[in-house]
Amino acid sequence: MNTEADQLGFEIAGAQASNSDVNTDTLAAKRLADKAEEVALLYKGLEIYVRKIELAPEGFLIGQIADFSNVCSTQYEGLRLGQSLSFKHQHVQHISRLAEKS
């Protein structure tokens, strides 16, 4: 399944395996949803920060755009702050903030 990040051309982090295992991908996505408060995705050379990350039933991630690096605006290239965005764990460049343990 293609996510919005796939359709928009967000960069994949590192080298992607050609024979991706669905169970491994789902576990990686679940781990991100559980542990990350904020992640950074790369779009057209700019980091896009995403928060409120949840695992969708289909196995991909959904989050809310929270900030853009080096841009003082509420929009960038058609993306808006507060907008919902679906993505795969492979789009995550790095975790910028870990969730606090409760």
Side-chain angles (χ1 to χ4, degrees):
M1 159 138 205
N2 276 343
T3 62
E4 291 166 314
D6 290 315
Q7 294 167 6
L8 292 169
F10 276 73
E11 291 187 29
I12 298 293
Q16 182 171 345
S18 59
N19 58 349
S20 186
D21 181 299
V22 174
N23 289 332
T24 302
D25 288 347
T26 302
L27 285 173
K30 182 177 179 352
R31 193 172 22 246
L32 271 172
D34 289 345
K35 298 201 181 281
E37 181 179 325
E38 181 179 87
V39 297
L41 313 181
L42 197 58
Y43 181 62
K44 296 186 177 183
L46 191 75
E47 284 189 346
I48 309 295
Y49 298 102
V50 179
R51 292 184 188 156
K52 298 183 181 177
I53 303 157
E54 297 178 0
L55 182 64
E58 298 84 359
F60 57 81
L61 296 158
I62 299 174
Q64 188 177 63
I65 297 175
D67 203 2
F68 309 114
S69 66
N70 301 320
V71 174
C72 295
S73 177
T74 59
Q75 295 185 37
Y76 175 74
E77 295 286 325
L79 299 173
R80 297 177 324 279
L81 294 181
Q83 173 183 337
S84 179
L85 180 72
S86 61
F87 59 98
K88 297 175 184 168
H89 74 90
Q90 293 96 332
H91 289 111
V92 175
Q93 301 295 316
H94 62 87
I95 297 172
S96 54
R97 192 173 302 158
L98 287 172
E100 292 182 20
K101 294 183 179 184
S102 37

